[in-house]
Each structure stands twice: as structure tokens, then as C-alpha cells.
Amino acid sequence: QRENSVGTLFDYNIIGIDPGSGIMKSTALALQDYKLEGWNLIEGSSAAMTAALDKAIRKEEPIVITGWTPHWMFNKYDLKYLEDPLKAYGDAEEIHTVARLGLAEDQPSAYEFLKRFHWTSDEMGEIMTSIQSGETPNKAAAQWAEAHKDHVDEWIKGIPTVAGQSLTLSYVAWDSEIASSHLLQYILEQKLGYKVTALQVEAGPMWTGVANGDVDFTAAAWLPLTHADYWDKYSSQLEDLGPNMTGVKTGLVVPAYVDIESIEDLNK
Ligand SMILES: C[SH](C)CC(=O)O
């Protein structure tokens, strides 16, 4: 580690999230691609990462985190993505809904709704912001669904309701997926009559649960790059229902007061 290098500003630490997440794999590859010697990618969680970000910003200290859009932190803080000339984080990503094989036959109402489910990062942001302001995820989702009745009605129009059949979804406690999973649970239960179990797990089990049929679906599949490893491994054992959100993004993020613009600058 070199004295007076940019790395010393950050103690050569990149504050990451849960180790199984795709962004941590992309960042490990970025460290290699950009030849960032001596840097540490700190494992933790989405919540620990945003707590470290908040603490650094309060003291106006340098910090670099694994970040993604949509995320409420871009509304709360003045942040910027570091340019990624080597495309370690790919281009525009999408969040897909993937379902276990056989869901269409077993639960046609849920399947049809999930195929129609598609929304924007701004719409998701309303739920994330409400949760950040102290509302519970269940209530924030319910309030969103009632405030956007026309949009929800499009998703469920003409779909037969059911009488309490069970469904299981899986998600990881990323702020974006906490929002989407609670909204899907609310609509499936209150509008279509299902009894939904929402399993909060790590990224690996989120995918394996759907692939082995224990879980009916997840709406937290980041493709084509972020979850490429999971997709390559399990795509033949599950059904991709397509994107529920497009134009999402992952990368390295710093507060605007940090005077560097590119991942390459971390090597100076
Ligand atoms: C943190 S992103 C929501 C998804 C991922 O990195 O696996």
C-alpha cells in the first residue's frame, strides 16, 4: 500500500454487502480488472453498508461502497457512480421475476399476475422511501398498492381469485427487493386470495429454492450480468418471466464530495 495514494484516503477498503450477492462478485472482478492491489472488499449487509455510508457522510469522510439503482440512498445523499471504463459492472441491467418449473400449471392466477408485474424505479422508490421514513415494509407496500390502484388493477384484471392456496417467494434483504417482495406479497394475498410466505435468504438459496421447486418465485433476479453465475447454473431448472424493472445499475459509489471520478482513479 503506497503512502499518499488515493487508497490511503479509503484505508484501501470498499464497503460491500452480503458475500453471495452478484455485486460482490462483480467488485472482486473489478479489483482484478483495474489492478487494484492491496484493496479490501469488506463483506457485510445492505443495512451495514448504508450505516457506514451515513456515518462517513456525517463526518464528510471519504468512503467507497458497492451501490445500486434503484436505492433510496441516491435520494437521501449526494452520491455519484465511479465511471467504469472496463465495464466490470456491465451495462443497463434488469430485475427479472423467475419462477419454478410448473408454476403456470399449478398456480395460473399467480403466474399470470407475475408475468404482468412490471414497474419503474421511481415507483419502487416510493416504497423504499416510506420504509426509510419508519413505515413497516408490509404497510408501505399496502399504502403504495392502494395509492396506485389503477396500476395494480392492470396487473390483476380478469385474473381469477383463489381460496387461500399457499405460495412461497424468496428474496434477499436488499432495500430494493424488500420493497418489491412485500408489494407482491400484498397483492397476491389481498387481491388474489393466496397465502404467501416471504422467505428472506441469502442470494444463493434465493436461486436454489426456485431451481429445486421449494420456492415458487423470486422477483429479485438481477440480469444479465449481476446474477450471471446463478443464471448459468440454474436457468434450465426455472422459468424466466422477464424483467419486472429495466434500466437498473450496479457499481462503485462515492459521496459527491470525494474528488475522484473513475474506478481507475482508485489506483492513483
Ligand atoms: C445488490 S444488487 C440489488 C443484487 C446483487 O448484487 O446480487
Side-chain angles (χ1 to χ4, degrees):
Q1 295 182 347
R2 291 167 285 117
E3 286 309 307
N4 306 322
S5 65
V6 168
T8 50
L9 283 176
F10 300 96
D11 293 333
Y12 283 89
N13 289 330
I14 296 173
I15 309 303
I17 59 171
D18 41 292
S21 66
I23 203 169
M24 293 296 271
K25 293 175 187 163
S26 306
T27 303
L29 289 174
L31 291 178
Q32 292 170 16
D33 296 350
Y34 288 96
K35 298 183 177 41
L36 295 177
E37 306 288 324
W39 281 77
N40 317 299
L41 174 53
I42 307 297
E43 293 179 356
S45 67
S46 177
M49 179 270 285
T50 50
L53 177 67
D54 187 72
K55 192 164 162 238
I57 287 178
R58 286 178 194 280
K59 298 179 185 169
E60 205 162 325
E61 286 174 350
I63 185 170
V64 51
I65 61 167
T66 54
W68 62 97
T69 303
H71 198 293
W72 52 263
M73 63 183 164
F74 289 94
N75 295 341
K76 185 170 182 180
Y77 309 114
D78 187 6
L79 303 172
K80 60 187 176 187
Y81 278 96
L82 294 182
E83 287 153 26
D84 173 21
L86 299 182
K87 294 268 179 246
Y89 293 93
D91 282 311
E93 287 276 280
E94 299 178 332
I95 309 177
H96 284 226
T97 303
V98 294
R100 69 172 172 80
L101 297 177
L103 187 69
E105 293 74 31
D106 301 342
Q107 299 296 350
S109 291
Y111 181 83
E112 179 55 28
F113 160 60
L114 291 171
K115 278 183 77 77
R116 295 185 197 175
F117 176 60
H118 191 288
W119 63 336
T120 66
S121 54
D122 286 349
E123 290 173 315
M124 178 192 270
E126 290 170 30
I127 298 182
M128 283 197 278
T129 304
S130 168
I131 294 170
Q132 272 308 317
S133 315
E135 194 52 88
T136 64
N138 285 322
K139 277 216 187 119
Q143 287 162 0
W144 189 92
E146 297 318 318
H148 294 267
K149 201 174 169 333
D150 51 338
H151 204 159
V152 175
D153 286 348
E154 275 169 37
W155 294 332
I156 59 172
K157 190 161 173 257
I159 297 179
T161 56
V162 300
Q165 275 91 320
S166 298
L167 276 181
T168 302
L169 67 87
S170 58
Y171 70 104
V172 184
W174 303 313
D175 296 283
S176 30
E177 280 60 30
I178 290 169
S180 54
S181 298
H182 283 83
L183 177 64
L184 290 172
Q185 179 174 20
Y186 177 82
I187 295 170
L188 285 163
E189 289 191 333
Q190 303 304 321
K191 308 292 180 187
L192 292 177
Y194 284 98
K195 180 79 193 82
V196 177
T197 301
L199 291 179
Q200 181 187 308
V201 291
E202 293 298 307
M206 177 181 87
W207 278 89
T208 52
V210 181
N212 65 28
D214 293 339
V215 170
D216 292 303
F217 73 93
T218 181
W222 280 63
L223 295 168
L225 184 132
T226 309
H227 288 168
D229 295 1
Y230 294 121
W231 177 254
D232 293 346
K233 212 166 172 185
Y234 301 115
S235 59
S236 62
Q237 302 166 59
L238 41 77
E239 183 180 351
D240 179 7
L241 303 190
N244 58 61
M245 188 178 292
T246 55
V248 300
K249 179 183 172 60
T250 69
L252 292 186
V253 171
V254 297
Y257 56 71
V258 172
D259 190 18
I260 58 170
E261 302 312 318
S262 167
I263 296 176
E264 289 173 324
D265 296 338
L266 295 176
N267 231 346
K268 289 187 174 149

